[in-house]
Amino acid sequence: MNPFFKKDNKYNYIEKGEGTPVIILHGLMGGLSNFDGVANYLPQKGYKVIIPELPIYSMNILKTNVKSFAKYVKDFITYKELDQVILLGNSLGGHIALYHTKMYPEKVAGLVITGSSGLYENAMGDSYPRRGDYDYIQKKAEEVFYDPKVASKEIVDEVYEMANDRLKLIKTLTIAKSAIRHNMAKDLPKMHTPTCIIWGRNDKVTPPEVAEEFHRLLPNSELYWIDKCGHAPMMEHPDEFNAHLEEWLNKKGLK
């Protein structure tokens, strides 16, 4: 068990460090440990890192959508009595961060997205997930990364367990449909929150042109690339990810 893991009221989260709050939002199949590199680094630089467990599979099916998760994040920020946070999200977490920023811009000092949905994503293909087919699930999990070895047995087991749990599978498909429905192309030009886009050059889920489109549509954005990198840069290249993030935070005076 992570010593920084807390259970408060209805919230489960990791909290580490003191200083400017950085709220990190995981993806649909991402665990809190995906951000260990960031969570170990930023507190050394004067930031408080908070990673809430999103209620991906515990939310009522009628509320299993991007908008409800954005509201959940807002309630969590209010519960923690925080103001002017930096939101950092990967994949679905990036989409939730974007939607939250659209709804509650006064709460967000800065936004960081990496491999984010919200414009387009190639979610595991039409046939995904195939229940009971471990080799297929492993292959799909490996495709998320540039280096397939990053898809550890633990990660593959987690996806396999989800694919074989009927309720989780239904909610996963519900969220995927919600992500498509909540396309943000028309919203982004009106969003002036300083935004850092960090993207893997070899991302197959949200390909590089998606990052370029985010950069084009978001008026106050900067784009950083990581080579030989797939959909989760903070996992595959944590040091490079942290270097880009710190450079941007310093540039924007977000301390």
Side-chain angles (χ1 to χ4, degrees):
M1 176 63 80
N2 188 314
F4 299 98
F5 186 78
K6 300 185 177 187
K7 279 178 174 279
D8 275 359
N9 199 356
K10 63 177 180 177
Y11 301 108
N12 298 335
Y13 58 97
I14 287 170
E15 183 172 330
K16 193 172 183 181
E18 290 300 329
T20 304
V22 179
I23 309 266
I24 296 178
L25 305 177
H26 62 81
L28 180 56
M29 297 180 201
L32 307 193
S33 63
N34 291 11
F35 292 92
D36 282 352
V38 182
N40 292 331
Y41 185 78
L42 283 184
Q44 301 171 36
K45 302 293 178 178
Y47 295 90
K48 180 200 289 279
V49 169
I50 307 174
I51 316 177
E53 244 178 32
L54 297 172
I56 301 281
Y57 299 119
S58 56
M59 188 82 86
N60 179 300
I61 190 78
L62 297 175
K63 292 185 175 178
T64 300
N65 57 57
V66 172
K67 186 175 181 179
S68 292
F69 293 139
K71 171 77 165 54
Y72 179 90
V73 172
K74 186 240 185 191
D75 292 344
F76 177 71
I77 290 169
T78 301
Y79 171 74
K80 292 294 292 175
E81 298 180 342
L82 300 171
D83 191 38
Q84 290 296 288
V85 304
I86 296 160
L87 282 181
L88 189 166
N90 171 246
S91 200
L92 175 70
H95 197 165
I96 295 166
L98 284 159
Y99 204 89
H100 177 282
T101 303
K102 171 198 162 183
M103 292 169 73
Y104 316 105
E106 70 286 352
K107 294 271 185 190
V108 185
L111 178 62
V112 184
I113 57 172
T114 179
S116 178
S117 57
L119 288 176
Y120 163 84
E121 61 176 321
N122 174 24
M124 300 281 190
D126 294 338
S127 57
Y128 174 82
R130 287 202 328 223
R131 300 171 75 180
D133 189 340
Y134 190 88
D135 290 343
Y136 178 80
I137 299 281
Q138 180 173 1
K139 179 173 170 287
K140 286 297 178 184
E142 288 174 350
E143 284 176 4
V144 170
F145 305 100
Y146 176 80
D147 178 1
K149 291 196 289 293
V150 179
S152 64
K153 185 175 185 305
E154 184 186 4
I155 289 171
V156 177
D157 286 350
E158 207 170 293
V159 179
Y160 182 76
E161 184 264 330
M162 179 281 299
N164 285 279
D165 180 316
R166 187 171 172 276
L167 185 58
K168 284 187 175 181
L169 183 55
I170 289 167
K171 289 200 169 185
T172 298
L173 297 172
T174 302
I175 294 164
K177 285 176 185 168
S178 165
I180 294 164
R181 199 167 60 246
H182 288 94
N183 186 287
M184 300 198 65
K186 290 179 181 170
D187 301 310
L188 299 179
K190 303 172 205 158
M191 293 169 56
H192 293 271
T193 303
T195 303
C196 175
I197 304 165
I198 306 176
W199 224 265
R201 285 255 189 218
N202 311 91
D203 189 338
K204 294 177 184 172
V205 181
T206 45
E209 55 267 27
V210 178
E212 287 164 357
E213 187 72 351
F214 271 122
H215 184 38
R216 185 180 73 79
L217 291 171
L218 282 160
N220 191 4
S221 64
E222 298 192 36
L223 174 57
Y224 298 86
W225 293 107
I226 298 182
D227 292 327
K228 296 184 178 177
C229 182
H231 189 54
M234 71 289 170
M235 291 175 72
E236 281 203 87
H237 296 282
D239 293 344
E240 207 171 331
F241 184 91
N242 288 334
H244 288 318
L245 178 57
E246 187 180 7
E247 179 189 325
W248 179 79
L249 290 167
N250 289 338
K251 195 172 180 181
K252 294 296 176 184
L254 291 168
K255 197 70 183 222

PDB file of all heavy atoms in Angstrom, residues 4-5 23-24 40 99 105 112 115 124 129 148 158 163 211-212 232 234-235 252 255:
ATOM      1  N   PHE A   4       1.269   7.203   0.989  1.00  0.00           N
ATOM      2  CA  PHE A   4       0.633   8.511   0.772  1.00  0.00           C
ATOM      3  C   PHE A   4      -0.843   8.379   0.365  1.00  0.00           C
ATOM      4  O   PHE A   4      -1.497   9.361   0.060  1.00  0.00           O
ATOM      5  CB  PHE A   4       1.404   9.302  -0.296  1.00  0.00           C
ATOM      6  CG  PHE A   4       2.831   9.578   0.089  1.00  0.00           C
ATOM      7  CD1 PHE A   4       3.864   8.772  -0.375  1.00  0.00           C
ATOM      8  CD2 PHE A   4       3.146  10.628   0.947  1.00  0.00           C
ATOM      9  CE1 PHE A   4       5.176   9.005  -0.014  1.00  0.00           C
ATOM     10  CE2 PHE A   4       4.452  10.877   1.312  1.00  0.00           C
ATOM     11  CZ  PHE A   4       5.481  10.063   0.834  1.00  0.00           C
ATOM     12  N   PHE A   5      -1.336   7.135   0.353  1.00  0.00           N
ATOM     13  CA  PHE A   5      -2.732   6.883  -0.038  1.00  0.00           C
ATOM     14  C   PHE A   5      -3.662   7.221   1.122  1.00  0.00           C
ATOM     15  O   PHE A   5      -3.422   6.838   2.266  1.00  0.00           O
ATOM     16  CB  PHE A   5      -2.901   5.420  -0.437  1.00  0.00           C
ATOM     17  CG  PHE A   5      -4.259   5.091  -0.999  1.00  0.00           C
ATOM     18  CD1 PHE A   5      -4.586   5.410  -2.304  1.00  0.00           C
ATOM     19  CD2 PHE A   5      -5.220   4.474  -0.215  1.00  0.00           C
ATOM     20  CE1 PHE A   5      -5.837   5.114  -2.836  1.00  0.00           C
ATOM     21  CE2 PHE A   5      -6.473   4.162  -0.725  1.00  0.00           C
ATOM     22  CZ  PHE A   5      -6.775   4.491  -2.044  1.00  0.00           C
ATOM     23  N   ILE A  23      -3.418  18.530  -9.477  1.00  0.00           N
ATOM     24  CA  ILE A  23      -4.370  17.413  -9.438  1.00  0.00           C
ATOM     25  C   ILE A  23      -4.152  16.573 -10.691  1.00  0.00           C
ATOM     26  O   ILE A  23      -4.258  17.075 -11.813  1.00  0.00           O
ATOM     27  CB  ILE A  23      -5.833  17.923  -9.435  1.00  0.00           C
ATOM     28  CG1 ILE A  23      -6.029  18.973  -8.351  1.00  0.00           C
ATOM     29  CG2 ILE A  23      -6.805  16.757  -9.318  1.00  0.00           C
ATOM     30  CD1 ILE A  23      -6.522  18.508  -7.047  1.00  0.00           C
ATOM     31  N   ILE A  24      -3.856  15.292 -10.492  1.00  0.00           N
ATOM     32  CA  ILE A  24      -3.562  14.402 -11.618  1.00  0.00           C
ATOM     33  C   ILE A  24      -4.738  13.455 -11.845  1.00  0.00           C
ATOM     34  O   ILE A  24      -5.230  12.826 -10.909  1.00  0.00           O
ATOM     35  CB  ILE A  24      -2.274  13.601 -11.350  1.00  0.00           C
ATOM     36  CG1 ILE A  24      -1.077  14.561 -11.261  1.00  0.00           C
ATOM     37  CG2 ILE A  24      -2.045  12.561 -12.433  1.00  0.00           C
ATOM     38  CD1 ILE A  24       0.252  13.895 -10.962  1.00  0.00           C
ATOM     39  N   ASN A  40       6.725  11.538  -7.663  1.00  0.00           N
ATOM     40  CA  ASN A  40       7.989  11.542  -6.914  1.00  0.00           C
ATOM     41  C   ASN A  40       8.815  12.786  -7.205  1.00  0.00           C
ATOM     42  O   ASN A  40       9.636  13.196  -6.381  1.00  0.00           O
ATOM     43  CB  ASN A  40       8.820  10.297  -7.256  1.00  0.00           C
ATOM     44  CG  ASN A  40       8.167   9.025  -6.748  1.00  0.00           C
ATOM     45  OD1 ASN A  40       7.450   9.046  -5.762  1.00  0.00           O
ATOM     46  ND2 ASN A  40       8.404   7.911  -7.431  1.00  0.00           N
ATOM     47  N   TYR A  99     -12.662  19.250 -19.915  1.00  0.00           N
ATOM     48  CA  TYR A  99     -14.076  19.561 -19.710  1.00  0.00           C
ATOM     49  C   TYR A  99     -14.272  20.317 -18.401  1.00  0.00           C
ATOM     50  O   TYR A  99     -15.073  21.249 -18.322  1.00  0.00           O
ATOM     51  CB  TYR A  99     -14.915  18.267 -19.716  1.00  0.00           C
ATOM     52  CG  TYR A  99     -16.360  18.522 -20.086  1.00  0.00           C
ATOM     53  CD1 TYR A  99     -16.760  18.496 -21.425  1.00  0.00           C
ATOM     54  CD2 TYR A  99     -17.316  18.817 -19.124  1.00  0.00           C
ATOM     55  CE1 TYR A  99     -18.077  18.757 -21.784  1.00  0.00           C
ATOM     56  CE2 TYR A  99     -18.628  19.075 -19.473  1.00  0.00           C
ATOM     57  CZ  TYR A  99     -19.001  19.042 -20.806  1.00  0.00           C
ATOM     58  OH  TYR A  99     -20.310  19.314 -21.149  1.00  0.00           O
ATOM     59  N   PRO A 105     -13.484  27.460 -15.311  1.00  0.00           N
ATOM     60  CA  PRO A 105     -12.167  28.029 -15.631  1.00  0.00           C
ATOM     61  C   PRO A 105     -11.548  28.810 -14.471  1.00  0.00           C
ATOM     62  O   PRO A 105     -10.313  28.883 -14.359  1.00  0.00           O
ATOM     63  CB  PRO A 105     -12.455  28.952 -16.832  1.00  0.00           C
ATOM     64  CG  PRO A 105     -13.918  29.226 -16.770  1.00  0.00           C
ATOM     65  CD  PRO A 105     -14.544  28.007 -16.176  1.00  0.00           C
ATOM     66  N   VAL A 112      -2.489  20.591 -18.114  1.00  0.00           N
ATOM     67  CA  VAL A 112      -1.496  19.757 -18.799  1.00  0.00           C
ATOM     68  C   VAL A 112      -2.212  18.525 -19.335  1.00  0.00           C
ATOM     69  O   VAL A 112      -2.858  17.800 -18.567  1.00  0.00           O
ATOM     70  CB  VAL A 112      -0.357  19.315 -17.843  1.00  0.00           C
ATOM     71  CG1 VAL A 112       0.703  18.539 -18.615  1.00  0.00           C
ATOM     72  CG2 VAL A 112       0.253  20.520 -17.132  1.00  0.00           C
ATOM     73  N   GLY A 115      -1.709  12.565 -24.355  1.00  0.00           N
ATOM     74  CA  GLY A 115      -2.493  11.474 -24.930  1.00  0.00           C
ATOM     75  C   GLY A 115      -3.980  11.621 -24.653  1.00  0.00           C
ATOM     76  O   GLY A 115      -4.687  10.647 -24.431  1.00  0.00           O
ATOM     77  N   MET A 124      -8.719   0.992 -29.002  1.00  0.00           N
ATOM     78  CA  MET A 124      -8.546  -0.465 -29.059  1.00  0.00           C
ATOM     79  C   MET A 124      -9.217  -1.174 -30.240  1.00  0.00           C
ATOM     80  O   MET A 124      -9.262  -2.383 -30.270  1.00  0.00           O
ATOM     81  CB  MET A 124      -9.059  -1.125 -27.767  1.00  0.00           C
ATOM     82  CG  MET A 124      -8.376  -0.667 -26.508  1.00  0.00           C
ATOM     83  SD  MET A 124      -6.767  -1.469 -26.264  1.00  0.00           S
ATOM     84  CE  MET A 124      -6.382  -0.984 -24.610  1.00  0.00           C
ATOM     85  N   PRO A 129     -13.430  -5.012 -26.291  1.00  0.00           N
ATOM     86  CA  PRO A 129     -12.530  -6.028 -25.786  1.00  0.00           C
ATOM     87  C   PRO A 129     -13.086  -7.420 -26.066  1.00  0.00           C
ATOM     88  O   PRO A 129     -14.287  -7.612 -26.006  1.00  0.00           O
ATOM     89  CB  PRO A 129     -12.483  -5.761 -24.284  1.00  0.00           C
ATOM     90  CG  PRO A 129     -13.279  -4.506 -24.044  1.00  0.00           C
ATOM     91  CD  PRO A 129     -14.201  -4.377 -25.222  1.00  0.00           C
ATOM     92  N   PRO A 148       6.792  -2.351 -26.046  1.00  0.00           N
ATOM     93  CA  PRO A 148       5.764  -3.257 -25.521  1.00  0.00           C
ATOM     94  C   PRO A 148       6.071  -3.804 -24.133  1.00  0.00           C
ATOM     95  O   PRO A 148       5.167  -4.213 -23.401  1.00  0.00           O
ATOM     96  CB  PRO A 148       5.722  -4.393 -26.559  1.00  0.00           C
ATOM     97  CG  PRO A 148       6.972  -4.275 -27.355  1.00  0.00           C
ATOM     98  CD  PRO A 148       7.385  -2.840 -27.306  1.00  0.00           C
ATOM     99  N   GLU A 158      -4.938  -6.442 -15.366  1.00  0.00           N
ATOM    100  CA  GLU A 158      -5.984  -5.480 -14.997  1.00  0.00           C
ATOM    101  C   GLU A 158      -6.983  -5.285 -16.151  1.00  0.00           C
ATOM    102  O   GLU A 158      -8.195  -5.272 -15.945  1.00  0.00           O
ATOM    103  CB  GLU A 158      -5.317  -4.146 -14.649  1.00  0.00           C
ATOM    104  CG  GLU A 158      -6.112  -3.299 -13.676  1.00  0.00           C
ATOM    105  CD  GLU A 158      -5.295  -2.115 -13.178  1.00  0.00           C
ATOM    106  OE1 GLU A 158      -4.301  -2.321 -12.456  1.00  0.00           O
ATOM    107  OE2 GLU A 158      -5.663  -0.989 -13.543  1.00  0.00           O
ATOM    108  N   ALA A 163     -12.185  -6.708 -18.921  1.00  0.00           N
ATOM    109  CA  ALA A 163     -12.867  -7.231 -20.103  1.00  0.00           C
ATOM    110  C   ALA A 163     -13.760  -8.422 -19.769  1.00  0.00           C
ATOM    111  O   ALA A 163     -14.688  -8.728 -20.507  1.00  0.00           O
ATOM    112  CB  ALA A 163     -11.839  -7.632 -21.162  1.00  0.00           C
ATOM    113  N   ALA A 211      -2.497  15.852 -31.264  1.00  0.00           N
ATOM    114  CA  ALA A 211      -1.772  16.854 -30.474  1.00  0.00           C
ATOM    115  C   ALA A 211      -1.667  18.162 -31.241  1.00  0.00           C
ATOM    116  O   ALA A 211      -1.853  19.259 -30.672  1.00  0.00           O
ATOM    117  CB  ALA A 211      -0.379  16.334 -30.125  1.00  0.00           C
ATOM    118  N   GLU A 212      -1.377  18.059 -32.542  1.00  0.00           N
ATOM    119  CA  GLU A 212      -1.252  19.270 -33.366  1.00  0.00           C
ATOM    120  C   GLU A 212      -2.578  20.016 -33.445  1.00  0.00           C
ATOM    121  O   GLU A 212      -2.615  21.253 -33.433  1.00  0.00           O
ATOM    122  CB  GLU A 212      -0.737  18.889 -34.759  1.00  0.00           C
ATOM    123  CG  GLU A 212       0.735  18.496 -34.744  1.00  0.00           C
ATOM    124  CD  GLU A 212       1.181  17.747 -35.985  1.00  0.00           C
ATOM    125  OE1 GLU A 212       0.336  17.467 -36.856  1.00  0.00           O
ATOM    126  OE2 GLU A 212       2.383  17.426 -36.070  1.00  0.00           O
ATOM    127  N   ALA A 232       1.323   6.919 -23.223  1.00  0.00           N
ATOM    128  CA  ALA A 232       1.491   7.301 -21.813  1.00  0.00           C
ATOM    129  C   ALA A 232       2.917   7.783 -21.558  1.00  0.00           C
ATOM    130  O   ALA A 232       3.730   7.088 -20.947  1.00  0.00           O
ATOM    131  CB  ALA A 232       1.153   6.118 -20.906  1.00  0.00           C
ATOM    132  N   MET A 234       4.274   9.796 -19.497  1.00  0.00           N
ATOM    133  CA  MET A 234       4.731   9.894 -18.100  1.00  0.00           C
ATOM    134  C   MET A 234       5.162   8.533 -17.556  1.00  0.00           C
ATOM    135  O   MET A 234       5.867   8.457 -16.562  1.00  0.00           O
ATOM    136  CB  MET A 234       3.645  10.527 -17.221  1.00  0.00           C
ATOM    137  CG  MET A 234       2.434   9.680 -16.957  1.00  0.00           C
ATOM    138  SD  MET A 234       1.363   9.470 -18.398  1.00  0.00           S
ATOM    139  CE  MET A 234       0.248   8.202 -17.787  1.00  0.00           C
ATOM    140  N   MET A 235       4.754   7.435 -18.236  1.00  0.00           N
ATOM    141  CA  MET A 235       5.188   6.095 -17.850  1.00  0.00           C
ATOM    142  C   MET A 235       6.419   5.656 -18.635  1.00  0.00           C
ATOM    143  O   MET A 235       7.356   5.095 -18.070  1.00  0.00           O
ATOM    144  CB  MET A 235       4.065   5.079 -18.102  1.00  0.00           C
ATOM    145  CG  MET A 235       2.871   5.219 -17.193  1.00  0.00           C
ATOM    146  SD  MET A 235       1.547   4.065 -17.667  1.00  0.00           S
ATOM    147  CE  MET A 235       2.239   2.495 -17.135  1.00  0.00           C
ATOM    148  N   LYS A 252       5.584  29.667 -17.302  1.00  0.00           N
ATOM    149  CA  LYS A 252       4.280  30.287 -17.025  1.00  0.00           C
ATOM    150  C   LYS A 252       4.205  30.859 -15.612  1.00  0.00           C
ATOM    151  O   LYS A 252       3.184  31.435 -15.219  1.00  0.00           O
ATOM    152  CB  LYS A 252       3.146  29.268 -17.222  1.00  0.00           C
ATOM    153  CG  LYS A 252       2.984  28.810 -18.668  1.00  0.00           C
ATOM    154  CD  LYS A 252       2.586  29.967 -19.561  1.00  0.00           C
ATOM    155  CE  LYS A 252       2.510  29.578 -21.014  1.00  0.00           C
ATOM    156  NZ  LYS A 252       2.210  30.721 -21.889  1.00  0.00           N
ATOM    157  N   LYS A 255       3.830  28.541  -9.835  1.00  0.00           N
ATOM    158  CA  LYS A 255       4.517  28.003  -8.662  1.00  0.00           C
ATOM    159  C   LYS A 255       3.704  28.292  -7.424  1.00  0.00           C
ATOM    160  O   LYS A 255       3.151  29.362  -7.288  1.00  0.00           O
ATOM    161  CB  LYS A 255       5.899  28.646  -8.556  1.00  0.00           C
ATOM    162  CG  LYS A 255       6.847  27.905  -7.649  1.00  0.00           C
ATOM    163  CD  LYS A 255       7.258  26.581  -8.249  1.00  0.00           C
ATOM    164  CE  LYS A 255       8.151  25.848  -7.286  1.00  0.00           C
ATOM    165  NZ  LYS A 255       9.280  25.181  -7.822  1.00  0.00           N
TER     166      LYS A 255
END
